[in-house]
Amino acid sequence: MFHSLFFGELLPLYCKMEIKMDGKVVRAHVALIAAAAMWGLMSPIGKAAMDAGITGLLLANMRMIGGAACFWIASLFAPKEKVNPHDLFLLFFASMLGIVCNQGCFTFGLSLTSPVDASIVTTTMPIVTMVLAALFLKEPVTPMKVSGIFLGSIGALMLILSNRGPVSQGGGSMLGDALCITAQVSFACYLTIFKKLIARYNVFTLMKWMFTYAAICFIPFSYHDFAVTDFSACTVTVWLQVGYVVFFGTFVAYICMLVGQKTLRPTVVSMYNYVQPVVGASASILLGMGHFGWIKALAAILIFTGVYVVTQSKSRAQMLAERNQKEQE
């Protein structure tokens, strides 16, 4: 009887669950690849819009206003969720870290540096995330993590200090790269501090409130740029570039990122930052907006190596599982 029950009902049910789970994992990986690719393309496309007259502060606020509008419209077709008043309060601070500081610093930094450097700097986020996980989530600090953080830090410093040439000639700027790194630190803080809040609601509920808060808070910084910009002089190409940044680089990319984040471990999610510099740098070089010298190549190698070493180190859960297994043996 047990034999027939197992092979007749339980085993097929288990197989269906495994197939469903595998499909969910594959979907999460595809979503993260898509998000990283869209963010990678955003560096050269956003830089082209800035070169055409859209300032960094203006583009950042257009991302926030456009993102808020897209998520509010999308939320009309999504399952309705009631947000706790306390969570609404927390979402305000989450928006400051995850959107205002992140997008504001990155977009303004991109206006000062080259898209190649901006793409490379984005790979520092996994390192920052690991450091914050050790501080807030009590993840162990192993020799591998320390080595990876050291290599990545040296690479980032080399990249910043090597930028002495004008941005118009494909060079970067120290301030621009520093702002791009600040954006990564801000987003890593958001993911770490508000991890439980992120898991509590669906993507549309989270993002419609966060982008609304961000748009309102950022308007005072970009009001002057809105007032002095001659939007009638913007060509169709410029509006298409802005549209890509708002719709794909913000709305679609954030959806894809949260789809992957809800399924995969943070370590796996962070490794997809590798795709951004590959896409961004390749597009920038093809468009003649940047170039690789040996210093940038070495800096990129150090950052990639540092990120890989950090993400290959064992987590707290893995170390506890190995310890329990040894005790049982």
Side-chain angles (χ1 to χ4, degrees), residues 26 75 101 109 114 135 138 248 273 308 320:
V26 170
S75 69
C101 291
S114 72
L135 294 175
K138 307 303 179 183
F248 292 102
N273 273 37
Y308 178 78
L320 289 174

Side-chain angles (χ1 to χ4, degrees), residues 99-243:
I99 299 177
V100 174
C101 291
N102 173 250
Q103 293 189 10
C105 289
F106 180 80
T107 310
F108 187 56
L110 179 60
S111 68
L112 300 175
T113 190
S114 72
V116 173
D117 288 8
S119 298
I120 294 174
V121 165
T122 59
T123 60
T124 60
M125 208 224 338
I127 298 175
V128 178
T129 304
M130 288 292 180
V131 174
L132 293 174
L135 294 175
F136 293 99
L137 304 178
K138 307 303 179 183
E139 286 288 334
V141 179
T142 64
M144 283 188 69
K145 286 184 180 179
V146 174
S147 301
I149 291 169
F150 177 77
L151 289 173
S153 301
I154 294 298
L157 287 173
M158 284 180 60
L159 185 65
I160 293 173
L161 296 176
S162 68
N163 288 321
R164 301 294 183 182
V167 179
S168 60
Q169 296 179 9
S173 86
M174 293 177 62
L175 178 59
D177 286 351
L179 286 171
C180 289
I181 290 178
T182 301
Q184 304 308 309
V185 174
S186 173
F187 197 73
C189 289
Y190 155 71
L191 292 177
T192 305
I193 297 172
F194 297 101
K195 182 179 179 181
K196 293 182 179 179
L197 181 65
I198 295 171
R200 203 172 298 158
Y201 301 101
N202 67 50
V203 59
F204 301 107
T205 301
L206 285 170
M207 291 297 132
K208 74 178 183 182
W209 286 110
M210 287 178 60
F211 272 94
T212 300
Y213 287 139
I216 294 172
C217 292
F218 207 79
I219 285 176
F221 298 99
S222 61
Y223 174 78
H224 177 266
D225 294 50
F226 268 109
V228 300
T229 301
D230 183 10
F231 291 102
S232 62
C234 294
T235 64
V236 174
T237 300
V238 174
W239 284 116
L240 288 175
Q241 292 164 348
V242 172

Side-chain angles (χ1 to χ4, degrees), residues 235-300:
T235 64
V236 174
T237 300
V238 174
W239 284 116
L240 288 175
Q241 292 164 348
V242 172
Y244 174 87
V245 171
V246 171
F247 186 76
F248 292 102
T250 304
F251 176 66
V252 179
Y254 268 83
I255 293 176
C256 291
M257 187 271 295
L258 284 177
V259 167
Q261 185 187 359
K262 286 179 179 291
T263 303
L264 302 174
R265 293 182 296 114
T267 301
V268 178
V269 173
S270 66
M271 290 189 70
Y272 279 94
N273 273 37
Y274 288 132
V275 179
Q276 292 188 45
V278 174
V279 175
S282 300
S284 300
I285 292 170
L286 289 174
L287 294 172
M289 300 170 66
H291 59 80
F292 268 121
W294 70 270
I295 295 180
K296 288 184 180 180
L298 180 59

